[in-house]
Amino acid sequence: MVNCRFTVAIHVLCLLAAQRPKALTSEFIAGSVNTNPVVIRRILATLRKAGWVKSQPGVSGGWELLAKPSDISLADVYRLIRPGTVFALHSKRPNPLCPVGRNIQQGLFGHYRKAQAAMEQALGQSTIADVLEDVQAVEK
C-alpha cells in the first residue's frame, strides 16, 4: 500500500509558507490537498511536535508556519513523517530450509541500507522553500 503522508506533509508546509503570515484552518488546508480535515489535523499535530507549526484558537485562528521554509529539508520531513526504512523485509521469516530463504534478508539488508541513505541524502538537498519556488514557477 502506498503511503502519501510524506507528500501531504510537504503540501501542507508549502501552503502554510505561501500564505504566511495568514493562519489557515485545517478545513482550508484539506480543501487544497483534497482530503479529509482529520488527515490534515493528524499531520499538523506531528508538525507541531517538531516545532514547525503552531495553532491559534478562535475565529481568526488556524495554523501558522513557525520555521523558515529554507530550514526544513525534505529529508527532515521524511524522517518525521515516515520514520524507518522505505524498504521492508519479509513480513514473515522466509523458509530457513531453503538456501535462498535462509539468507535473503541478510543479503538484502546492506543494499537496502545504501539505497535508503542515498534517498535521504538526496532529499536533504532540497527544502520546503525549494519546492514552493518550483510550485510557484509553474503558476507563472
Side-chain angles (χ1 to χ4, degrees):
M1 172 179 242
V2 176
N3 182 328
C4 62
R5 286 176 35 105
F6 173 56
T7 298
V8 171
I10 293 169
H11 185 145
V12 168
L13 289 165
C14 285
L15 184 60
L16 290 171
Q19 298 295 316
R20 218 174 190 183
K22 183 179 176 183
L24 304 179
T25 65
S26 54
E27 289 78 13
F28 180 87
I29 298 168
S32 176
V33 175
N34 195 23
T35 193
N36 190 301
V38 172
V39 171
I40 299 303
R41 284 191 281 274
R42 286 182 185 139
I43 289 174
L44 285 165
T46 302
L47 298 175
R48 178 176 34 209
K49 287 178 187 171
W52 296 342
V53 300
K54 71 174 182 173
S55 61
Q56 299 270 71
V59 176
S60 62
W63 291 88
E64 295 178 54
L65 186 63
L66 290 175
K68 289 174 41 178
S70 59
D71 289 344
I72 305 171
S73 77
L74 298 188
D76 295 334
V77 179
Y78 175 80
R79 288 183 200 110
L80 180 69
I81 296 297
R82 189 158 181 177
T85 182
V86 105
F87 305 104
L89 294 172
H90 306 80
S91 58
K92 294 182 180 180
R93 188 165 181 249
N95 184 346
L97 301 177
C98 172
V100 172
R102 76 173 148 252
N103 298 314
I104 189 71
Q105 291 183 332
Q106 296 91 329
L108 281 173
F109 182 75
H111 296 282
Y112 284 179
R113 189 178 64 230
K114 283 194 299 190
Q116 181 79 27
M119 180 195 68
E120 289 186 32
Q121 194 271 336
L123 289 173
Q125 295 176 13
S126 299
T127 66
I128 293 299
D130 296 329
V131 174
L132 181 57
E133 184 178 317
D134 292 343
V135 167
Q136 290 172 334
V138 173
E139 214 30 55
K140 294 178 184 176

